Amino acid sequence: MSDFTKLVMADEPDLLERVQKHFRDESVLSDGRTPMRVLRSLVSSPRLADYTVRGFNSNGFVHVGDSFLDEHTMLADWTQKTYGVELSTWKRIHTDLEVVTGFGFRDASVARIQVWSFDPMSLSFDALKIAVAVSYTDVELIGGGEGCRCSE
């Protein structure tokens, strides 16, 4: 059995090995699947805060959240793309951005920013998959999320 008191960050160098060991040690559902709560009992969400902004230059930033899933699965995305931004970078750039609370559903000038505790660009693809997975809140996973604050 794994020690549930040792939560790790998704930027741990040996993350994949730790996750694999954790899954081997923990019970799975009768059909062989591992519940998301087991992964989330090991890996901490990197997501600290969310903002919706205008004026964001996305060059050099990586998709996270729904935009990451849209790139790598058959799930659809919002018109507003979601980017991961490290906290120190957010502190540097946020004053140059317009934080918005209402916008049109098809308004592509708006970006969704997730402020992360580390730079998502520093992760391998497999570690980024894990980080994105654990970044979702329970409400988002059950489909009761806040969704788009659209003005139209």
Side-chain angles (χ1 to χ4, degrees), residues 31-81:
D31 63 1
R33 294 179 298 141
T34 302
M36 181 62 123
R37 67 178 163 69
V38 174
L39 178 61
R40 292 174 73 196
S41 71
L42 174 67
V43 183
S44 175
S45 172
R47 183 173 163 191
L48 303 174
D50 297 327
Y51 296 94
T52 309
V53 300
R54 276 198 184 88
F56 179 69
N57 180 352
S58 63
N59 292 334
F61 293 95
V62 64
H63 284 139
V64 297
D66 293 348
S67 296
F68 178 87
L69 293 177
D70 179 53
E71 285 182 351
H72 304 288
T73 70
M74 294 180 68
L75 297 175
D77 194 6
W78 298 93
T79 303
Q80 298 77 29
K81 299 301 179 199

Side-chain angles (χ1 to χ4, degrees), residues 2-133:
S2 293
D3 183 354
F4 285 100
T5 63
K6 296 193 178 177
L7 198 60
V8 300
M9 302 262 307
D11 63 345
E12 288 284 322
D14 61 343
L15 179 67
L16 296 178
E17 293 81 18
R18 291 180 85 151
V19 167
Q20 289 169 342
K21 180 183 182 324
H22 192 70
F23 282 175
R24 279 192 306 272
D25 293 349
E26 293 307 316
S27 61
V28 294
L29 301 174
S30 61
D31 63 1
R33 294 179 298 141
T34 302
M36 181 62 123
R37 67 178 163 69
V38 174
L39 178 61
R40 292 174 73 196
S41 71
L42 174 67
V43 183
S44 175
S45 172
R47 183 173 163 191
L48 303 174
D50 297 327
Y51 296 94
T52 309
V53 300
R54 276 198 184 88
F56 179 69
N57 180 352
S58 63
N59 292 334
F61 293 95
V62 64
H63 284 139
V64 297
D66 293 348
S67 296
F68 178 87
L69 293 177
D70 179 53
E71 285 182 351
H72 304 288
T73 70
M74 294 180 68
L75 297 175
D77 194 6
W78 298 93
T79 303
Q80 298 77 29
K81 299 301 179 199
T82 305
Y83 298 92
V85 175
E86 184 179 19
L87 178 59
S88 62
T89 302
W90 173 253
K91 287 179 178 180
R92 191 179 73 248
I93 68 171
H94 82 280
T95 56
D96 297 329
L97 302 171
E98 174 192 357
V99 176
V100 297
T101 55
F103 51 90
F105 179 72
R106 290 182 176 78
D107 187 348
S109 72
V110 173
R112 300 168 71 200
I113 304 297
Q114 288 184 5
V115 178
W116 280 26
S117 55
F118 54 82
D119 184 358
M121 293 289 291
S122 69
L123 300 178
S124 69
F125 180 68
D126 287 333
L128 186 56
K129 289 190 287 188
I130 293 169
V132 168

